[in-house]
Amino acid sequence: MADRVETLKTSIATVSIAGDFREKLAAIARAGYTGIEIFEQDFIAFDGTPVDVGWLVGDYGLEIMLFQPFRDFEGLPEPYRSRAFDRAERKFDLMNSMGCDLVLVCSNIAAAALGGIDRAADDFAELGERAKKRGIRIGFEALAWGRHINDHRDAWEVVRRADHSHVGLILDSFHTLSRSIDPQTIRAIPGDKIFFVQLADAPKIDMDLFYWSRHFRNMPGEGDLPVVEFMRAVAATGYDGPLSLEIFNDQFRGGSPVEIARDGHRSLIGLMDDVRRSEPDIRLPVPDIPPRAHCHGVEFIEFTTSEEEAADLAAFLAVMGFTHAGNHVSKQVAHWRQNDINILINTEESGFAHSAYQAHGTSVCDIALRVDDASRTVERARMLGAETVTTPAGEGELSIPAIRGVGDGMMRFIGIRSDLAALWEIDFVLVEEAGDCTGVGLRRVDHLAQTMKYEEMLTWTLFYTSILEAAKVPMVDVVDPGGLVRSRAIQNDNGDLRVTLNGAENQNTLAGHFIDRTYGASVQHIAFACDDIFTTAEALAARGFQVLAMSANYYDDLGARFGLEEAFLARMQALNILYDEDERGRYFQFYSRRRSGEVFFEFVQRLDGYDGYGAANAPFRISAQKRDLTSSPFAGVDGGVDAG
Ligand code: MG
Ligand code: MG
């Protein structure tokens, strides 16, 4: 269970996650929230009285912080006006029974609404008086598509003129930011007149506001809206009430309640940590957590496999120029190395790696990243709700801090200035004849490609960007002959951290096939960087490495697209090297024909600051791989396609 951060009151609207009411409450409580916003629909669908709802929520250790929505109230002519007050009284009955004292009234969208800021203020003054008698407070929210009130500044003016102790403002980051209203205008509102704050982010999409809001909202940090700026302005007012997530998202409705609730809590803590860092003069009820860690690259990648398959993987690594450099002092783990790249082959028959082998087959079970301070990195991750893992280390061996990552894999952290940096001397016995391990010129891990179901992409985007110093690159669609794959890179400023997240929507894509075959392992390919792609490709060919063959048409098209010289094209074609350019530089890449388990390898060279991943080439590479799968000499040996 995540730590409950006592001082910060966190909440989530029950509409934000899937499940029946009890499932939702269990997931919300487990993630560490203080309370919930209850949606009327959840109550209506619930089989019990309002009093039962109140008890049930209390049983989970949660408070009902807000009841919503109460719609189409202000500015109505008679007889609608009287009816609206009658409706409100009935909601007050319900709220009294449930034990909830704040209701959200969203701005009127009805055609009958007359407008007029004083008319609205008068309505709220009267509603406030009635609510006060019932021990209830009224919060007014400007919907971005409200008929007359669609801006928090106007809603605040209504509240100001209503001038009633039981009438206040509700701010919602989506309604303000989706209309590009400057969040700085919030700083002029008195904090004690803000009764509640709802937070949501969203990807930048140009579409109808209502549709955008109802289907594409996501957790703060998952989208593109300036939610940190919004929250900095809210914090400046002195507001110290609950921060609540009100998220309408199609992916979340189909996702795991536990994971979505956890992502939400992570997003709130991460957001407030960002606000705290950018507003050092404002006292905020947030814990002091270590900053995001800068990643200095990949220290090692660990494969789990069986004794029999290990020989095959080792032979594959040898062909790619890796050297067997050492063996673990107490475990069945072999260390293979080439320059700055370390690959481990784990064939233990118990423990985490073995469980991962049983679940996913030969696959990457562990990724170790270099950071400045490993324990502070894990501490940050833990406070953001990540699952920390302690693995038993033998006597004299190093215990490497770890958290649970994508696909249940392990993510470890190695402090570059700690004794963990001496891992290879302490935990491994060197193979005498290992030599200099320069191989075919593969220098370091350029990127890791992790594949997941499409609905998990936001989870893992938030995982990386909240724990590490990393930005998310805009999503690209990769057309696989079997369907669409969404791809998004997570990377840091100097390119020491590069992970691509690939979301598969169906099993007919290569990515979907991977998930199917591995039962949800994560790493689908590993890209190694070299300094001279032609030299490396030739050296690999000389060692018997089989490259993925590209079609002649690809090179015809390439020549036409970039105006490349014939001789240069011919040289690339001879070695099956793919090419791309961005506004800065050039990119060369080629792929292994074969896979180990379901993992394949990529070889890249970046020139002049090229910052992409050759997305334009992906459809052709995928087609080549699919063509190859049906005729692979390795089918059945290394897990090629042998099942329909
Ligand atoms: Mg709202
Ligand atoms: Mg790649």
Side-chain angles (χ1 to χ4, degrees), residues 104 141 172 175 198 217 246:
L104 177 147
E141 175 195 60
D172 180 321
H175 292 305
Q198 295 177 315
R217 286 185 179 215
E246 188 198 24

Side-chain angles (χ1 to χ4, degrees), residues 406-549:
V406 185
D408 254 354
M410 202 82 91
M411 174 157 285
R412 287 180 195 278
F413 300 102
I414 309 265
I416 52 173
R417 280 179 288 277
S418 72
D419 56 354
L420 291 178
L423 172 71
W424 308 114
E425 285 90 71
I426 296 173
D427 280 9
F428 287 81
V429 179
L430 286 176
V431 171
E432 285 300 333
E433 63 277 20
D436 60 3
C437 302
T438 52
V440 295
L442 305 179
R443 293 275 164 207
R444 66 191 167 277
V445 174
D446 182 86
H447 64 272
L448 291 165
Q450 296 189 298
T451 294
M452 59 204 61
K453 290 181 183 157
Y454 173 58
E455 58 265 29
E456 293 171 6
M457 282 186 84
L458 286 172
T459 295
W460 297 109
T461 301
L462 185 66
F463 172 86
Y464 280 109
T465 58
S466 64
I467 296 168
L468 301 169
E469 275 177 13
K472 49 186 194 293
V473 173
M475 192 98 86
V476 290
D477 292 341
V478 173
V479 180
D480 177 301
L484 205 62
V485 175
R486 314 286 178 97
S487 182
R488 147 166 275 169
I490 306 290
Q491 59 190 51
N492 64 9
D493 285 347
N494 59 1
D496 279 351
L497 172 72
R498 291 183 183 276
V499 177
T500 61
L501 306 182
N502 302 289
E505 287 187 85
N506 73 50
Q507 297 168 4
N508 303 326
T509 59
L510 198 70
H513 175 81
F514 168 84
I515 295 171
D516 231 30
R517 294 274 305 193
T518 63
Y519 297 93
S522 78
V523 175
Q524 190 178 10
H525 78 256
I526 300 168
F528 301 125
C530 61
D531 295 337
D532 183 338
I533 196 98
F534 292 99
T535 309
T536 292
E538 280 158 6
L540 281 169
R543 300 173 77 99
F545 173 83
Q546 294 199 33
V547 64
L548 180 73

Side-chain angles (χ1 to χ4, degrees), residues 446-449 500 502 525-527 587 589 591 600 602-604 606 613-614 621:
D446 182 86
H447 64 272
L448 291 165
T500 61
N502 302 289
H525 78 256
I526 300 168
Y587 190 56
Q589 52 181 167
Y591 293 89
F600 59 92
E602 180 185 1
F603 306 83
V604 311
R606 294 177 184 274
Y613 300 84
R621 179 261 297 175

